[in-house]
Amino acid sequence: LTVSALSKWDKRRTEQPERETPAIVASVAMVPGYDISKVLERERFLWPYNDVLMYGVKDHFVVQNEELLRSHDNDAVDKMLSASSLQEIVDAGVTFAGYDNVTLYYQETNPISEL
């Protein structure tokens, strides 16, 4: 998020020089060196991890909150529960993070988007 935030301030400074923009002197960021839009795919996040963790995510986060989640987006819950990988669960659930679609979600949250 730090990399994305800094790049957005730099872009604003360049595109809108009349607007006041913070001057960032230093920053420290720990960023995964991978594309989060793909890292949890079954081909990348190998057995047994995807299967073990997927069951836990579905049970702990989706099933235990199913009524509340369905009240916001019934289709997303169906997709999350029928997902065959952790990546499909994340993709189906972006609406619960406030995004209209996966493209916008990864544009805003993927740590390598601004590199």
Side-chain angles (χ1 to χ4, degrees):
L1 293 176
T2 302
V3 172
S4 296
L6 291 174
S7 72
K8 288 175 185 178
W9 287 121
D10 287 342
K11 184 177 181 180
R12 180 170 128 177
R13 184 178 295 108
T14 301
E15 293 177 354
Q16 302 171 18
E18 71 283 355
R19 287 187 69 191
E20 186 175 339
T21 303
I24 310 295
V25 177
S27 174
V28 175
M30 294 178 57
V31 180
Y34 47 79
D35 182 350
I36 65 168
S37 71
K38 299 175 183 173
V39 74
L40 296 175
E41 292 174 352
R42 187 167 287 288
E43 299 77 27
R44 293 174 180 235
F45 199 61
L46 302 175
W47 185 90
Y49 305 108
N50 211 313
D51 294 315
V52 170
L53 293 174
M54 186 173 54
Y55 173 79
V57 168
K58 284 182 180 181
D59 180 60
H60 188 74
F61 294 105
V62 183
V63 173
Q64 290 186 29
N65 297 292
E66 188 169 355
E67 183 178 343
L68 174 64
L69 294 172
R70 284 195 184 280
S71 72
H72 292 284
D73 192 332
N74 193 54
D75 292 338
V77 174
D78 288 341
K79 288 177 185 173
M80 292 171 80
L81 291 174
S82 66
S84 63
S85 71
L86 286 168
Q87 195 69 56
E88 289 178 12
I89 293 174
V90 172
D91 292 350
V94 300
T95 185
F96 301 118
Y99 293 90
D100 293 331
N101 60 62
V102 293
T103 302
L104 290 174
Y105 174 75
Y106 289 120
Q107 282 175 349
E108 291 290 319
T109 64
N110 200 337
I112 67 163
S113 293
E114 303 293 334
L115 297 178

